[in-house]
Amino acid sequence: MIKVGSRDSRLAVVQAEEVCRALGDCELITMKTLGDMILDKTLDQVGGKGLFVKELDRALADRRVDLTVHSLKDVPMEQPEGLPLVAYTKREDARDALVLPQSGEWDKSKPIGCSSARRRVQLAALFPEIEVKPVRGNVLTRLDKLDRGEYGALVLAAAGLHRLGLENRITRYFSPDEIIPAAGQAILAVQGREGELADEVKQLDDADAHDCALAERSFVRTLGGGCFAPVAAYAETEGDYIHLRGLYVTEDESRSARGAVTGPRSEAASLGRTLALQLQKQAEGTL
């Protein structure tokens, strides 16, 4: 029986169960991560998205679990030695979504809540008259804060709402031209130990998601990966080609650049690097 590790949030469990159904004979083992426990600070204040995976990495290294399942957008750009990402599942809807209180009324005197600098800078351009504030916690915690009146609206990943059966809470979707999604958004990443369970995980890997993940993560990695300057990358495949959109914002958020590139999907990682360097030069005025 394959032991699959996951965070213990409802969304993480739903995602891990999706992988378990595809694998067959599995035991799901859940654990709370540091990122789930520290909710009074933004991620850049407490060490970044790696806080969501460290406990799972330890369980994998200690052989307490055989595979772990993550939202790819939460996975750091570099993995611990011997613990590679071994599969990328078929992508759900990658768009961001606007969620209003259950009343359906948007009180624009209250802030829009979101969880990332990437969303914040793009929302500020779309809604310059509305304050944007951080919101932490899992999806259900954030919805509770919204319904209690702490926020006028939230922006959440559509994929998470779909997986939780909460698509009825979505008021509107933002197109990738309005808000470029996070690298890896709506893709599940399966992590394992080097050289183990290769045949079992092969069936989980979706070719389109795999190539999009390579392009998007290469874009972010080229721009520093672990830094907290807002970046976004979203790729789509068509036949043998891949189209990649990107956003780069300087660390002081005074300048930004958006752009896109299309090329052979066999060169996905190279296209990510090329677009990243191009937008960095544009934003910093060196192009």
Side-chain angles (χ1 to χ4, degrees):
M1 182 179 288
I2 299 171
K3 294 181 178 180
V4 176
S6 163
R7 292 164 60 190
D8 68 355
S9 75
R10 182 173 161 193
L11 177 58
V13 169
V14 167
Q15 292 177 166
E17 287 174 342
E18 194 177 303
V19 169
C20 283
R21 281 193 297 273
L23 283 171
D25 194 16
C26 282
E27 178 187 357
L28 182 58
I29 297 172
T30 63
M31 57 199 79
K32 194 171 287 292
T33 70
L34 200 54
D36 296 308
M37 292 185 277
I38 302 175
L39 298 177
D40 58 345
K41 294 182 173 68
T42 57
L43 287 177
D44 59 338
Q45 294 173 320
V46 292
K49 293 182 176 181
L51 293 180
F52 290 120
V53 302
K54 286 178 181 174
E55 282 83 358
L56 292 164
D57 284 350
R58 278 196 286 271
L60 198 53
D62 295 344
R63 308 189 77 83
R64 286 179 281 137
V65 298
D66 302 306
L67 299 170
T68 55
V69 180
H70 311 279
S71 294
L72 181 58
K73 68 185 179 66
D74 291 335
V75 178
M77 289 301 128
E78 306 299 335
Q79 277 64 62
E81 188 174 353
L83 302 178
L85 298 181
V86 293
Y88 302 93
T89 69
K90 184 176 175 61
R91 191 170 221 160
E92 237 279 10
D93 191 328
R95 293 175 294 177
D96 282 318
L98 181 74
V99 178
L100 297 183
Q102 287 184 318
S103 66
E105 299 294 321
W106 188 357
D107 182 351
K108 294 184 179 179
S109 68
K110 293 180 179 178
I112 302 173
C114 71
S115 61
S116 69
R118 170 192 67 83
R119 286 185 181 130
R120 175 173 50 75
V121 297
Q122 295 185 88
L123 285 168
L126 288 173
F127 304 107
E129 73 286 0
I130 305 177
E131 182 186 9
V132 180
K133 283 183 64 175
V135 58
R136 289 290 317 281
N138 62 41
V139 172
L140 298 177
T141 299
R142 294 183 201 182
L143 289 174
D144 184 55
K145 291 179 179 180
L146 172 68
D147 292 334
R148 284 192 277 112
E150 293 182 34
Y151 298 86
L154 295 178
V155 174
L156 299 167
L161 293 165
H162 288 181
R163 286 178 169 129
L164 288 170
L166 294 170
E167 55 266 38
N168 63 310
R169 293 300 307 261
I170 296 172
T171 298
R172 64 160 290 193
Y173 295 90
F174 294 102
S175 74
D177 289 325
E178 292 174 305
I179 299 181
I180 300 176
Q185 187 156 301
I187 297 172
L188 303 182
V190 180
Q191 191 172 5
R193 288 184 292 272
E194 191 90 54
E196 296 186 19
L197 298 174
D199 291 338
E200 289 83 352
V201 299
K202 192 180 299 182
Q203 63 185 310
L204 301 173
D205 196 51
D206 179 82
D208 290 338
H210 192 119
D211 290 345
C212 288
L214 290 180
E216 293 165 16
R217 287 172 68 80
S218 174
F219 178 91
V220 176
R221 191 181 292 112
T222 301
L223 294 171
C227 75
F228 297 106
V231 295
Y234 176 59
E236 296 173 283
T237 58
E238 185 173 344
D240 293 332
Y241 289 87
I242 191 164
H243 179 71
L244 176 67
R245 291 178 177 87
L247 167 71
Y248 171 70
V249 182
T250 58
E251 200 158 355
D252 63 5
E253 297 185 15
S254 63
R255 298 179 304 281
S256 66
R258 282 175 178 250
V261 66
T262 299
R265 58 193 288 172
S266 59
E267 298 173 14
S270 176
L271 289 168
R273 285 192 296 273
T274 298
L275 183 61
L277 293 173
Q278 177 187 319
L279 296 187
Q280 187 175 42
K281 288 176 182 177
Q282 283 182 11
E284 296 176 357
T286 58
L287 189 63

